[in-house]
Amino acid sequence: MSSCNNKVTKRRVVLLFLASLSVYIYLCINNFDGIKSSAVYKVVDVKLQSLKMEFFPWRGIKQEQTTPLPTTIRVVKIHSNSDKEQLQKYRTRILKKESVPLLTLFTTWNYNLEKDLVHNITVYNWMSLNPFVIPVVFTNDSDVAADCSRKGWKVLPVLITAAEGVPVLKYMYRDVMEKYNTTLYAYSNADILFTDSLPDSLVQIITNTSLDLTQPALMVGKRTNVENVTSDEGSAWYNITKIAKDRGTLFNGWAEDYFITTRSFPWHDIAEVVIGRRAYDNWLVFYSRKMKYSVIDITRTVLAVHQTTKAGNSEGHSHKNKDYNHNLLVKMYKIIRYHLGVIECIEKYTQYEYGIVSIKNRNYQKGCEAG
Ligand SMILES: *[C@@H]1O[C@H](CO)[C@@H](O)[C@H](O)[C@H]1NC(C)=O
Ligand SMILES: *[C@@H]1O[C@H](CO)[C@@H](O)[C@H](O)[C@H]1NC(C)=O
Ligand SMILES: *[C@@H]1O[C@H](CO)[C@@H](O)[C@H](O)[C@H]1NC(C)=O
Ligand SMILES: *[C@@H]1O[C@H](CO)[C@@H](O)[C@H](O)[C@H]1NC(C)=O
Ligand SMILES: *[C@@H]1O[C@H](CO)[C@@H](O)[C@H](O)[C@H]1NC(C)=O
Ligand SMILES: *[C@@H]1O[C@H](CO)[C@@H](O)[C@H](O)[C@H]1NC(C)=O
């Protein structure tokens, strides 16, 4: 009896605390400039930043995703003609089998009428990155398999699923690493288009920076949303770059659509999260930062165009089992600090300097401390 009463009291205290905290957060968000100058508040300030992000997005929807960040950059500036010669040399080396291809780029889908055009454009686009890239689709759908393989893609079966049939990310990395010998491996959502800025950037990162390829590394970047991409527009790197400039919008750092890793990235230790459901992207970046792997934001040197359709920009949030990853991660780790997995928190980033890609250290970001 008394323990029951105790529980009720405790719950009341917690509720009261939460209520005052929300008021406090609300006041602080709306008064940020006013309290910034005090040294005492600086500490609180950092905590509140974290709380603000932790409380709001993950209770309901990832709200930040639909609010444009206060940024003046609409799309990423890409100097794609930086070192064409080096890229050509690399192509020759790959064709002569003196180098392995740069990247195995894989994704997964089954036939879906609404997405058919998007997928067709992606199939063509990823194939255009050959021989730098080996495009792979994981599917058990024989029509998709036949179509992709006719267009030069590799096809692998989906072996391990969860959340009612959704592929588990880590096993796809395992399978491609067993099958294909490339310097890097990446899962990407199937609606993302790339240009020569991808191989250009990767060649330079591999040959001209101090990144240690024998150590775990993860590269991610923001995407540029473009509505109503047509086959013509998606058919050439030049056109993709043009539509990104003309009508693209750089999305915010909560969405991570592709994950480029080195062979030594310890995928076998990674939680069994599934693709296409929220939470795994930010968690993966947070986890990698926490484990002190090399995490690099390549937004500034790699254009990734998201083909935005009617379903909009937060598809992973409307499916059934939408909380599968979150629930799994909470079971494993209790508290997930997703806000530390946003792109803005990544310490390293790439940048073109006089046409050459270099890896820079970002200035200290408030609220990004990976504990
Ligand atoms: C996609 O490609 C397939 C096979 O090439 C074709 O049959 C289909 O009509 C295309 N779909 C769209 C929407 O363009
Ligand atoms: C896909 O096909 C393979 C056999 O090729 C099978 O082992 C696997 O269980 C299938 N996956 C799903 C999700 O049905
Ligand atoms: C992968 O390529 C490297 C470098 O060319 C080579 O040394 C290695 O033997 C290859 N491994 C496999 C499994 O083909
Ligand atoms: C990049 O690396 C290549 C091969 O290691 C070298 O020949 C070239 O001079 C380097 N370029 C720059 C700009 O450092
Ligand atoms: C994309 O197409 C939809 C209808 O299909 C239209 O409402 C929308 O304005 C278009 N967006 C752009 C940027 O053209
Ligand atoms: C680029 O797009 C335009 C129309 O949007 C098309 O006419 C042209 O052929 C495309 N360029 C290439 C190289 O495919």
Side-chain angles (χ1 to χ4, degrees):
M1 243 355 230
S2 84
S3 90
C4 187
N5 270 340
N6 248 345
K7 257 187 209 156
V8 172
T9 320
K10 260 187 210 155
R11 210 173 288 158
R12 278 208 193 119
V13 170
V14 168
L15 280 177
L16 193 63
F17 172 71
L18 285 179
S20 15
L21 190 62
S22 345
V23 174
Y24 195 48
I25 292 174
Y26 175 79
L27 288 176
C28 289
I29 291 168
N30 287 290
N31 261 307
F32 239 61
D33 287 338
I35 59 168
K36 243 187 197 154
S37 47
S38 149
V40 176
Y41 275 103
K42 275 217 173 98
V43 182
V44 180
D45 186 326
V46 169
K47 284 225 176 90
L48 284 175
Q49 274 264 338
S50 330
L51 284 172
K52 179 178 113 196
M53 292 188 160
E54 207 159 32
F55 268 64
F56 299 163
W58 295 98
R59 293 323 304 171
I61 323 148
K62 260 192 196 173
Q63 284 161 3
E64 266 83 354
Q65 288 218 337
T66 49
T67 327
L69 287 189
T71 170
T72 50
I73 318 164
R74 279 195 80 213
V75 293
V76 189
K77 263 198 227 150
I78 306 287
H79 306 238
S80 52
N81 58 345
S82 55
D83 205 349
K84 287 271 156 41
E85 204 181 313
Q86 190 178 10
L87 203 55
Q88 280 312 321
K89 276 191 194 147
Y90 214 93
R91 177 197 295 271
T92 311
R93 290 175 54 85
I94 295 170
L95 293 174
K96 284 186 179 161
K97 304 219 185 304
E98 290 164 7
S99 286
V100 296
L102 296 171
L103 175 70
T104 303
L105 184 61
F106 63 93
T107 188
T108 176
W109 77 84
N110 290 329
Y111 178 76
N112 172 348
L113 178 61
E114 267 179 38
K115 288 287 195 76
D116 199 34
L117 178 60
V118 164
H119 291 149
N120 280 3
I121 295 174
T122 300
V123 169
Y124 194 88
N125 171 251
W126 289 19
M127 200 56 211
S128 74
L129 298 166
N130 198 262
F132 300 110
V133 168
I134 299 177
V136 180
V137 63
F138 281 85
T139 190
N140 277 22
D141 180 324
S142 54
D143 291 336
V144 173
D147 191 42
C148 285
S149 125
R150 195 165 51 235
K151 288 171 180 159
W153 281 45
K154 309 286 185 199
V155 180
L156 293 176
V158 177
L159 293 183
I160 300 184
T161 64
E164 298 179 46
V166 189
V168 175
L169 183 63
K170 64 188 275 185
Y171 297 111
M172 294 195 286
Y173 276 92
R174 177 199 65 185
D175 292 351
V176 288
M177 287 198 277
E178 233 165 60
K179 278 253 155 48
Y180 310 110
N181 199 355
T182 55
T183 309
L184 300 164
Y185 296 85
Y187 168 78
S188 166
N189 286 327
D191 49 12
I192 302 294
L193 304 178
F194 297 97
T195 65
D196 51 344
S197 64
L198 177 69
D200 190 22
S201 204
L202 294 183
V203 165
Q204 295 204 48
I205 290 170
I206 288 170
T207 56
N208 291 83
T209 70
S210 57
L211 181 70
D212 185 349
L213 296 167
T214 66
Q215 294 301 311
L218 170 67
M219 295 175 237
V220 297
K222 291 185 190 177
R223 73 191 198 204
T224 297
N225 290 328
V226 181
E227 283 184 18
N228 308 340
V229 178
T230 66
S231 299
D232 267 348
E233 291 169 338
S235 67
W237 298 333
Y238 166 81
N239 275 3
I240 294 170
T241 310
K242 185 168 187 311
I243 58 173
K245 278 193 186 133
D246 290 350
R247 60 175 206 272
T249 335
L250 191 63
F251 207 34
N252 68 62
W254 278 94
E256 284 132 0
D257 288 84
Y258 63 87
F259 310 90
I260 303 174
T261 60
T262 48
R263 242 197 125 82
S264 53
F265 192 88
W267 278 106
H268 43 87
D269 294 338
I270 296 291
E272 307 216 342
V273 291
V274 298
I275 56 98
R277 300 294 178 269
R278 66 186 191 176
Y280 81 95
D281 48 353
N282 303 128
W283 172 76
L284 188 61
V285 171
F286 158 60
Y287 177 84
S288 303
R289 289 185 63 219
K290 195 177 154 190
M291 298 300 284
K292 303 265 186 271
Y293 301 152
S294 286
V295 185
I296 308 172
D297 165 16
I298 58 175
T299 305
R300 289 177 190 225
T301 60
V302 173
L303 177 63
V305 164
H306 176 254
Q307 305 176 69
T308 303
T309 58
K310 271 187 291 180
N313 280 322
S314 35
E315 276 175 82
H317 306 171
S318 54
H319 290 102
K320 57 179 178 177
N321 281 314
K322 68 182 162 66
D323 287 329
Y324 179 84
N325 289 328
H326 176 66
N327 295 339
L328 175 81
L329 294 168
V330 163
K331 249 183 237 155
M332 294 175 70
Y333 302 102
K334 293 217 171 73
I335 294 170
I336 323 294
R337 305 170 77 198
Y338 293 110
H339 60 283
L340 301 181
V342 301
I343 290 178
E344 287 83 353
C345 279
I346 297 173
E347 287 87 352
K348 291 188 163 74
Y349 67 95
T350 54
Q351 180 175 300
Y352 278 105
E353 280 182 333
Y354 310 106
I356 295 160
V357 175
S358 57
I359 299 176
K360 304 288 227 180
N361 287 314
R362 213 192 297 275
N363 290 335
Y364 169 74
Q365 296 290 308
K366 197 169 57 179
C368 285
E369 298 81 357

